[in-house]
Amino acid sequence: MGESFDNSAIQLMNQDFKKKEPLSIEDIVDRIVPRLNLKLFLLFLSALSTIFHAAAVTYVTALAGNIPYKDWECVSDSCEALFNNASAAGLEKDFFSQNTVCGNNLVAGTDFNWTTQKTTFTTDWNIYCKDEAKLSLISSIYFVGALLGLLCSTAIFDRIGRKRGALVGCVLITMGTAASSAAPNYQTLLVLRVISGFGLLINYTGSYCWIIEFAPTHLRNLVSGCYNLGWTLSYLIMVMLGYLIDKWEHLYLAVSGLCVFSLAMFFITPLPAVMATLR
C-alpha cells in the first residue's frame, strides 16, 4: 500500500514537471538580475552601441595627426646657434615651439629631429609649418565623404532597407579605418578618409531611423537621447585610446575595433522582435 502511494506521488510530480514550460532568456535574466527589463535593456543597448564608433572615427585624425611642436631637438649647427642665442637672452624655455621651427624654416631630419614618444603621420610624412594645410585637408575631406554619403543614403535605404544600409555603411567605415593604419602616404590616407566619411553618414542615419522606427512612441525621446549618448562615449573612448596608444597606426586599428563592435551589435540585439513586445 505504501509503495503504490509513493509511486503515485512520483508520477504526479513527473506530470507537473512535464507541464512546466522551459524558461525563456528573459525569465533567466529576471532570475539572475531581478527588476531588469531585458527588452528595454536591449532597446537602449541597440541605441547606444550601434553608433559607438562614430565620434572616434570622426576625430581620430586630431590625435593621429597631432604635430608635436614642443617635442624636438637640434641636430644642426645653425639650430644649435639659435638655441644658444635664445639661452643667452633667457628664452630657452620658449625655444622649442612652433614659432622657432616655422619662423626659422628649420627642416626635420636636417636641422632637428622629433623626440615625441607618440608617433603621428605628420612626423612620419613631414607635415608641419607650411604644409599644415594638408592636415586640415585630411580632416575636412572626411566631411566631404560624409556629405556624399548623406546624399546617397536615401537611395540606398529605398533599395536595400535601413538596417542593411546601416550595415553597409558600418562595413565601409570599418574597412576605411582599418586600412588607414597601413596607409603608405598622404594621398592614400585622403582617399581612405573619404570612404570612412561616406560610410559614416549612411550608417548614422540608417541605424538612427531603424531604431527609432521600432521604438515605442512613448520611449522615442529617451532612445534618441541614448543614441546620441553613444557619440559622446565614443569621443571619450577615443581620448582614452589616444592616451594609451603611442603609434598612430595602432590608434587607427583600435578605432576600427570599435567599428567591429558596433557592427556586431546589429546581429546580437534582435531589435524588431524586442520592439514588437514593447508596443
Side-chain angles (χ1 to χ4, degrees):
M1 186 72 177
E3 292 180 0
S4 62
F5 177 79
D6 292 339
N7 291 333
S8 300
I10 293 174
Q11 289 177 359
L12 289 173
M13 291 175 62
N14 290 334
Q15 289 177 0
D16 291 339
F17 180 77
K18 290 179 180 179
K19 289 180 181 179
K20 291 183 178 179
E21 296 181 357
L23 293 175
S24 64
I25 295 177
E26 185 179 0
D27 294 332
I28 295 174
V29 172
D30 185 61
R31 292 191 177 188
I32 297 175
V33 186
R35 298 181 182 180
L36 174 65
N37 190 319
L38 179 61
K39 295 183 179 68
L40 285 177
F41 174 75
L42 289 176
L43 168 61
F44 288 106
L45 179 63
S46 298
L48 183 66
S49 58
T50 51
I51 202 64
F52 207 53
H53 57 288
V57 175
T58 302
Y59 298 113
V60 64
T61 305
L63 297 179
N66 177 55
I67 304 176
Y69 279 117
K70 292 185 177 182
D71 298 321
W72 55 277
E73 62 183 2
C74 291
V75 295
S76 67
D77 293 338
S78 58
C79 182
E80 290 289 351
L82 290 173
F83 177 73
N84 292 333
N85 292 336
S87 299
L91 301 175
E92 64 274 9
K93 292 183 179 180
D94 300 325
F95 178 76
F96 296 99
S97 64
Q98 179 180 0
N99 291 334
T100 302
V101 174
C102 300
N104 295 281
N105 295 321
L106 299 181
V107 179
T110 300
D111 296 315
F112 71 94
N113 287 330
W114 301 108
T115 59
T116 177
Q117 294 181 350
K118 294 184 177 295
T119 63
T120 63
F121 62 76
T122 52
T123 58
D124 288 352
W125 300 336
N126 289 330
I127 298 175
Y128 61 96
C129 293
K130 295 180 180 180
D131 292 328
E132 279 190 30
K134 292 183 177 181
L135 178 59
S136 300
L137 181 59
I138 288 180
S139 299
S140 59
I141 203 168
Y142 174 85
F143 295 99
V144 173
L147 177 61
L148 294 175
L150 182 62
L151 294 175
C152 296
S153 60
T154 302
I156 293 173
F157 300 151
D158 288 342
R159 193 172 187 85
I160 62 176
R162 285 178 287 277
K163 180 181 179 181
R164 291 182 179 178
L167 284 171
V168 169
C170 198
V171 169
L172 288 174
I173 300 169
T174 304
M175 294 175 59
T177 306
S180 296
S181 65
N185 51 49
Y186 170 77
Q187 292 77 9
T188 303
L189 186 59
L190 277 179
V191 174
L192 293 173
R193 291 299 287 169
V194 172
I195 294 173
S196 297
F198 182 81
L200 178 77
L201 259 293
I202 296 175
N203 171 245
Y204 190 89
T205 54
S207 57
Y208 180 80
C209 293
W210 176 60
I211 290 171
I212 294 299
E213 177 186 2
F214 284 105
T217 305
H218 66 284
L219 291 176
R220 285 181 178 174
N221 288 335
L222 288 175
V223 172
S224 179
C226 187
Y227 186 83
N228 291 314
L229 179 62
W231 180 284
T232 304
L233 292 178
S234 175
Y235 184 83
L236 293 176
I237 290 176
M238 184 206 64
V239 173
M240 181 183 68
L241 291 175
Y243 177 78
L244 296 174
I245 298 175
D246 291 336
K247 293 187 176 182
W248 68 270
E249 299 94 336
H250 296 168
L251 183 58
Y252 273 107
L253 278 179
V255 172
S256 67
L258 291 178
C259 299
V260 172
F261 171 79
S262 295
L263 184 63
M265 293 309 297
F266 280 96
F267 302 96
I268 293 175
T269 55
L271 192 58
V274 170
M275 295 307 100
T277 60
L278 282 174
R279 292 184 182 278

